[in-house]
Every structure is written in structure tokens, then in C-alpha cells.
Amino acid sequence: MPDGVAPGQAGDLDPQVWASGVRRGPDGALTAAGVDVRDLAREHGTPAYVLDEADFRARARTYREAFTAAFAPLGVGVDVYYAGKAFLSVAVARWAHEEGLRVDTSTGGELAVALRAGVPGADIGLHGNNKADAEIERALAAGVGRLIVDSRGEVDRIADAAARTGRRAPVMVRVTTGVHAGGHEYISTAHEDQKFGLSVAGGPAMEALRAVLERPELELLGIHSHIGSQILDAAGFEEAARTLLRLRADLHAATGYLAPEVDLGGGYGVAYLPGESAIDPGDVAGRLATTVGAVCAELSTPVPRISIEPGRAIVGPTTFTLYTVGTVKPVTVDGDDGPFTRTYVAVDGGMSDNLRPALYGAHYTATVASRVASPETVRARVVGKHCESGDIVVHDVALSADVAPGDLLAVPVTGAYGRSMASNYNHVPRPPVLAVRDGAVRVLVRRETEDDLLALDLG
Ligand code: LLP
């Protein structure tokens, strides 16, 4: 059975995997916020990322409102930081901020985008397991709301930079709670054997927290944990929250300092295939509020201000990638139940615009987007144009049997870690990001050109 069972022309686009503004018209073509994908392809070319602005804003609001409402009875506010690593552009940073979110950055480059967007420094956080001094200084100069300390050595490096710049640095300490959660080993980040954070169990977390308190140039805002990505079960978040709150209480007992904030990280999972469900923000917010309330009562400590850092859940489902079909090639494959035909459908992009299938074995679905196509399906594999057999966009999908060169093909849920992890492999220019809203298109990031690539080559 193919993974992505969306035949080209079911007409019923599963709302779990398509942005709210995507429809299929009577002529079989998709429209996004009222814009016909055939017009998009004609005017802007393919491949292209098509981002539904209203859908992005709605998801941002949903997270902010769900967490704010859940924690209100505990008497604390919640800051939602949009994790820019999922996808960041000037416009997107602005939208997030307009919807009441702050912006989480993990490098000087992401910080530069957030600042260019006009997001006030106070509403920006800076992460990174290996921050350069220049990044730290730039963050301090911008007056960022917080730097997240990721190693013991960084405590002194940030304090020294603060002394040099004459600004007190607000910091959180990122800890590893031992909770192992998420879709793939490479994206689960709070177990001990990886590069992020400081271990709670072994003592380095407490040691770093105490070191922060000893440096007058630093202001300890709180404790941070990010347990992984594409998490569909709230239990891991609850477990991590318990560990963070206990550590906060231990620090209080040991030093008399009660850290005012706790950051529960990002990682909220989304649906990639029809029939899958995203984690429900209201549900996870409610469960986390219950856990935080109960643990704080148990420990007799006041409830801290909470922050979270969703990236994928805000931007992932807002976007689909629009490709043009080129070569269509049936291949006979020896399956477990005997030989079958797999139709290789090659598109004009691939692993350079979506690395996730090659890197994580991630699964997607696809649909013919430009016409009424056959209700009969073939077992298809959507592949790219790169010189590599692992260049797969959709591993296994039931596509309309008459899929043909020149068709437009749409692959949903590519908003997170798509453009942001895109490369120029084989000197393929990276696609544009086109925002659609109320029947209008706006180019957020233009298509790269061969000249852009050659401009870097000094001959
Ligand atoms: N906060 C921190 C500290 C993080 O490291 C991350 C993601 C996030 C927030 C946002 O996580 P999200 O809500 O988007 O799951 N490239 C991988 C995902 C890597 C995630 C890295 N950190 C992928 O394509 O699945």
C-alpha cells in the first residue's frame, strides 16, 4: 500500500495536509488563496514553494491563544517564539511578530533576518550550540531578549562579551532532560548522547546555572529544554517539564534564586500524509498547564512564566511545493508479492528543495495540480532531477494513471525545513517562496539564478 494515498483527482484534499486556502476547482486545477497554480507556474516558474499567508497567521494565533488560555488559570503568561530555522524570511518574521509571537533564531544569519524585519531585539531569542563571539556581540548590541546558553564555556564567553559591550545579558540555560522524543534520531535532541544542552542528570546543568548566577553581567531568566522535533505525543513534553521544574526548585533551594521562566521548546508534530493527525495545540497546552500546575504545587514553588518555540507546526502545513512533471518512466520491480510496476515521475526539483526524504526517510504525498486527471491510479515514486538515486521527493504515492510530462504536481507540507534546508546541489538554483493571500501573489524570496551562483565563483 503506498504511503501517500491521495489519488490525483479525489477532489477531497485532506485538510490535515493542505493549507486552509487550497481548493480544487471544477477544472481539476488547484487554487491557493484564490490563485490558480497554473498562473503561478506561468508567471513564476517551477519549482516554487507556495505559502498561504492567512494559514500561517492562523496557525501562529492558534498556538499563542491555546497556550495563553491554558496557562491563564495558573496566573502566568506564555511567550510563543516562532522557531525561524523552520523557515525564515523578512515577511514571515514580520507576520509572526504581528500575530503576537516572538522570534527564535539559532545563528547570526537568522538574527539578521529578524532584525531586518523590524522585530525588536527584546522579542528575539538566540540559540546555537557553537555561537561565535561575533554572534554573541551582535545579539547583545541588538538587545535580544535572551541568549540560550548551550555549554559551560559559553557562560563566561557571554558574560565577557556583556562586559565588553556594557550590557547585562539575559540568559537561559538549555538542559537535556533525558527525554527521547521525535521522528528521527537526528531530530531528537534531549537524550544525553548528542551535542545540545547540559545534562540535568549528570550535574552539568546545575553547575552552569550556578556559574550564571556568579557572573553579575548575566541575568538568569530561566531554564530551557527542547526535546526533539515532529513529536506527536504530549507525554515527552510533560516529562521534560517535570524535570525542568524540579531543577528550578533545586536551584532555588541551593542558591535562593528562583528563575522566573521556563522554556518548554518546540517540536510539535504535524501530519504529512492523508489520514495522519497533527498534535493538537489545545490538547498539548492543556496537558502541559496541568502538569506545570501540579508539579509546582507539589514542589511549593510559584509557577514560572512559560515559553515555547514551535517552528514546523506554524509553517509546515502552510506551504506546498509546485513542480512540473518531466520524465515518466514505468519500472518493473520485484515486490514481496511478486513483480509490480512502479511509475517513476521525475520533477524539476528534488533533494535540493526538499532534503527531508533523503536525510530522514520522511514521507510526503503528491497530487496532479493542473487539470482533471484520471481517477485510476498507478503506484508512483516522485523523484527529482539530481544525479543521485536517493533523490526522492515522494517515496510511494497513488498518482493519477495518466500523469504526464507538463503536468503540475503539488507536494504539501513543505513549509518547514524545505527552503530552509535547500541546497544548490548540481548547481540547481533554489526555488522562490511565493506568498498567496486574497487572490494575490507576493514573492517573499525570489528564485535564484545561475548568475547568482556564478557570482560566488571567482574564476
Ligand atoms: N527550538 C529549538 C531549540 C530547536 O532546536 C528547534 C528545532 C525548534 C525550537 C523548532 O522545532 P520544531 O517546532 O520546528 O519541531 N530539520 C529537521 C528538524 C530539525 C529541528 C531542529 N531544531 C526536520 O526537517 O525534520
Side-chain angles (χ1 to χ4, degrees):
M1 183 65 178
D3 298 313
V5 283
Q9 294 298 313
D12 54 342
L13 302 169
D14 185 332
Q16 284 289 328
V17 297
W18 293 92
S20 56
V22 179
R23 305 269 182 283
R24 193 187 294 281
D27 58 1
L30 297 190
T31 56
V35 181
D36 190 311
V37 295
R38 293 166 299 188
D39 294 335
L40 283 175
R42 219 174 0 253
E43 282 158 38
H44 301 277
T46 58
Y49 303 100
V50 182
L51 195 173
D52 182 334
E53 176 180 342
D55 191 71
F56 179 97
R57 289 179 180 273
R59 288 175 200 278
R61 274 198 303 275
T62 298
Y63 263 85
R64 182 173 54 71
E65 287 168 2
F67 274 81
T68 302
F71 281 86
L74 300 180
V76 296
V78 179
D79 298 310
V80 180
Y81 284 76
Y82 169 60
K85 68 201 78 187
F87 172 65
L88 199 62
S89 76
V90 167
V92 158
R94 224 171 253 155
W95 300 344
H97 196 249
E98 283 167 4
E99 297 301 335
L101 274 58
R102 300 181 178 193
V103 179
D104 167 50
T105 64
S106 61
T107 60
E110 289 178 6
L111 176 60
V113 179
L115 291 172
R116 174 73 64 87
V119 178
D123 290 343
I124 300 175
L126 179 70
H127 268 280
N129 71 302
N130 186 24
K131 301 175 193 71
D133 285 341
E135 288 175 316
I136 294 170
E137 282 172 16
R138 192 159 160 208
L140 291 174
V144 298
R146 61 198 206 182
L147 291 99
I148 292 84
V149 171
D150 205 273
S151 63
R152 173 65 185 82
E154 215 174 67
V155 174
D156 295 317
R157 288 180 52 232
I158 295 176
D160 292 346
R164 281 198 300 279
T165 54
R167 290 169 190 259
R168 194 147 185 253
V171 300
M172 298 191 102
V173 173
R174 177 166 176 178
V175 305
T176 50
T177 55
V179 178
H180 188 122
H184 187 281
E185 189 193 344
Y186 291 175
I187 58 177
S188 66
T189 50
H191 57 295
E192 307 283 341
D193 189 8
Q194 46 80 35
K195 67 176 182 171
F196 294 107
L198 290 143
S199 166
V200 175
M206 178 61 92
E207 201 189 313
L209 287 163
R210 299 182 77 127
V212 169
L213 292 177
E214 278 161 23
R215 294 291 306 246
E217 305 92 333
L218 304 178
E219 177 196 357
L220 180 61
L221 288 183
I223 307 176
H224 178 288
S225 146
H226 171 77
I227 58 173
S229 201
Q230 184 53 14
I231 298 165
L232 292 164
D233 179 355
F237 293 112
E238 293 177 285
E239 192 51 42
R242 281 188 204 103
T243 304
L244 290 184
L245 293 168
R246 280 192 213 111
L247 179 63
R248 175 173 174 261
D250 289 348
L251 180 70
H252 187 206
T255 66
Y257 185 79
L258 186 66
E261 295 189 35
V262 162
D263 189 311
L264 302 173
Y268 307 100
V270 302
Y272 280 96
L273 298 178
E276 290 182 350
S277 302
I279 201 166
D280 180 67
D283 177 60
V284 70
R287 285 177 60 173
L288 279 171
T290 303
T291 302
V292 167
V295 175
C296 287
E298 216 173 275
L299 298 167
S300 306
T301 47
V303 178
R305 187 171 182 86
I306 297 294
S307 45
I308 58 166
E309 296 172 347
R312 188 192 312 267
I314 308 289
V315 74
T318 65
T319 300
F320 62 85
T321 309
L322 190 63
Y323 297 103
T324 301
V325 172
T327 304
V328 177
K329 186 190 288 182
V331 172
T332 304
V333 178
D334 277 329
D336 291 342
D337 305 324
F340 69 96
T341 301
R342 192 192 305 282
T343 304
Y344 275 80
V345 176
V347 294
D348 50 354
M351 65 191 295
S352 58
D353 59 71
N354 189 355
L355 187 57
R356 301 192 71 258
L359 192 57
Y360 312 120
H363 291 283
Y364 288 84
T365 186
T367 189
V368 173
S370 46
R371 64 182 172 91
V372 175
S374 166
E376 273 163 48
T377 60
V378 288
R379 189 165 178 178
R381 175 165 292 172
V382 181
V383 296
K385 62 179 290 174
H386 295 278
C387 297
E388 194 156 321
S389 50
D391 172 26
I392 292 168
V393 178
V394 184
H395 207 257
D396 204 2
V397 58
L399 269 187
S400 289
D402 59 354
V403 61
D407 281 339
L408 295 177
L409 200 74
V411 174
V413 207
T414 55
Y417 309 106
R419 180 61 176 76
S420 73
M421 295 205 299
S423 77
N424 294 120
Y425 183 37
N426 298 136
H427 271 248
V428 170
R430 289 174 295 179
V433 181
L434 311 174
V436 289
R437 178 184 169 174
D438 299 333
V441 188
R442 178 171 155 209
V443 181
L444 300 191
V445 182
R446 73 157 168 80
R447 183 182 303 285
E448 248 170 357
T449 63
E450 286 173 6
D451 282 344
D452 287 329
L453 302 185
L454 281 165
L456 301 175
D457 187 328
L458 302 185

